[in-house]
Amino acid sequence: MNLGQQLSFLIRNTPIISNPQVIDCAINGITDYFACTLQACHEDDVHKLLAWIVDEGGNARAWLIGQKKLASARQAALLNGFQAHCLDYDDVHSDVRGHPSAVILSALIASIRLDNAEQKIDGRRFLTAYVIGIEVMALLGQSINPQHYEKGWHATITLGGIAATAAICYLYDEPFLSQALTLAATQASGMRLLMGTPIKFLHAGIAAQHAIQAVEWLRAGIHADQDFLDDKLGFLAIYGQGNTRFDLSHWGKTWKIVHPGLWFKNYSYCSAAAYIADAGQLLYRNANFSVDKIESITIFFSPPQSDAALIYQMPLLAEQGRFSAEYVLALTLLGLPLSFEQFSAKPIANGIKNLMQKMKRSYQIQLTPHPQAYNQRYVVVEIVNSTGEKLNQRIDLPKGSPKNPYSQRELSLKLVKAVGDQKTADNLLKDICALAVGLDLHTFLLSHLLTL
């Protein structure tokens, strides 16, 4: 078997997962996904995309989460992926260097035809399909990064469509899995240049749509009988450094959703800036800190290029600030809340700009990394006051990351906040948990279609 066939064989022959730790991680991922999606369902950009979908028309078969509407599977994948990612509030995986659940779960849910409730889909198989999607995306990311990401590709879309296709094909036990992976891979695209614009969030929806298209086109009889991991012309040869780092030997032994695990967020900015935010909040509470005394600020990143996602050093709009270490640090040092409103499409206030102008980035630091740090990453923020006094704060494991996770209560509160009603949120969480004992997906989705 070639490498693509080996991957397809492993996916197809993965038994339904019953390991409680893996299932708990999947339940947490789905809970967080709904929290992120529902939190964003009233955003202006979501409504603009929804209006486009209504104008386009199509067969109403798949759930537009939070909109009390049905649309075509492709439309649902696009909107739900965009919605899940549009506040940059959704989970991250360090191997991917991107956002897996916004793509994979949007594609899986969109694939479920609510006009055909006779087809039963076991919740346990759905959870396993989700875990497999995470695994494929993380394995690809592990073999292709950091060069792929640093070159300018947005891994959420380049890897996400392939991963979501693997998940859908497992869910329905499709016979054309290897062809579907090839068809998804040939659609891969997406530039990090678009960070700070709504198109960055649309990437998650496009990737989910790629997966739906790949499966539906093959069901229609179109063929794509090539190995997407071909040594010379395959995906990893084109987008990475070849197949040598793509390792399938540990498949099913330790799932990537468990280790290194998903990184959850309760903030609306890039996870790379979470180091900065945690450091800034600790400095703000330092008894010797005064913003009026600041002469200069240096943000030290290790290793170099670990700030690749933070492309704006002097953003002009607050939405660009999601990808700016300087903007996030300025907010925290000024004691401003890191709320959704602080990252909307509005000009940045002069007081924030003035503080950002005192900042610079440096990579000239060589401290011993924390043994549990992701890719040996850490950040040090150093403030020099007008008196010459220095204040330093180092962060290795930001809050929400797998080694410094949120509690179950914090994740539940995130869902309640997004839903806006405790009873409705409790009912949704109860049904998410019931997937682990085989709750049918049609029953699950239809019971919440008109309440969320």
Side-chain angles (χ1 to χ4, degrees), residues 42-188:
H42 300 300
E43 291 291 308
D44 287 345
D45 286 329
V46 170
H47 285 178
K48 291 173 185 175
L49 187 59
L50 179 61
W52 175 83
I53 286 171
V54 171
D55 182 65
E56 184 182 51
N59 293 320
R61 295 172 172 172
W63 184 25
L64 300 177
I65 299 173
Q67 306 300 336
K68 299 180 174 63
K69 296 178 186 293
L70 299 179
S72 72
R74 291 172 66 251
Q75 291 166 340
L78 184 70
L79 183 84
N80 292 340
F82 177 74
Q83 199 168 237
H85 190 35
C86 86
L87 294 172
D88 223 299
Y89 196 43
D90 52 315
D91 65 40
V92 177
H93 196 287
S94 60
D95 287 344
V96 173
R97 292 192 76 162
H99 302 260
S101 296
V103 179
I104 297 163
L105 289 173
S106 294
L108 281 170
I109 290 171
S111 78
I112 299 167
R113 289 187 54 167
L114 296 181
D115 62 342
N116 181 20
E118 293 181 5
Q119 181 185 30
K120 300 299 181 183
I121 300 176
D122 191 307
R124 292 166 292 189
R125 190 167 186 90
F126 180 88
L127 292 175
T128 303
Y130 172 42
V131 172
I132 286 172
I134 298 284
E135 190 74 10
V136 170
M137 199 167 177
L139 285 172
L140 289 171
Q142 197 174 39
S143 66
I144 209 169
N145 284 320
Q147 293 91 338
H148 179 74
Y149 189 86
E150 291 171 359
K151 190 171 183 178
W153 294 107
H154 185 198
T156 298
I157 179 170
T158 56
L159 310 182
I162 302 169
T165 300
I168 293 174
C169 286
Y170 178 85
L171 183 64
Y172 298 99
D173 194 22
E174 296 289 3
F176 46 64
L177 172 56
S178 61
Q179 292 190 57
L181 296 176
T182 299
L183 193 45
T186 200
Q187 298 178 76

Side-chain angles (χ1 to χ4, degrees), residues 182-220:
T182 299
L183 193 45
T186 200
Q187 298 178 76
S189 61
M191 299 182 293
R192 283 197 298 108
L193 174 70
L194 278 301
M195 286 181 171
T197 77
I199 305 305
K200 192 261 190 183
F201 309 128
L202 193 63
H203 282 171
I206 294 171
Q209 189 178 71
H210 286 167
I212 294 291
Q213 290 173 172
V215 173
E216 290 192 346
W217 289 338
L218 285 159
R219 285 173 178 168

Side-chain angles (χ1 to χ4, degrees), residues 5 10 37 43 49 52 59 88 122 145 196 212 224 233 261 281 289 304 327 330 359 389 399 410 428:
Q5 289 171 334
L10 290 170
T37 306
E43 291 291 308
L49 187 59
W52 175 83
N59 293 320
D88 223 299
D122 191 307
N145 284 320
I212 294 291
L233 295 175
Q281 289 167 339
F289 171 77
Y327 180 71
M359 301 180 191
E389 179 188 21
K399 183 65 177 174
E410 287 172 308
L428 175 58

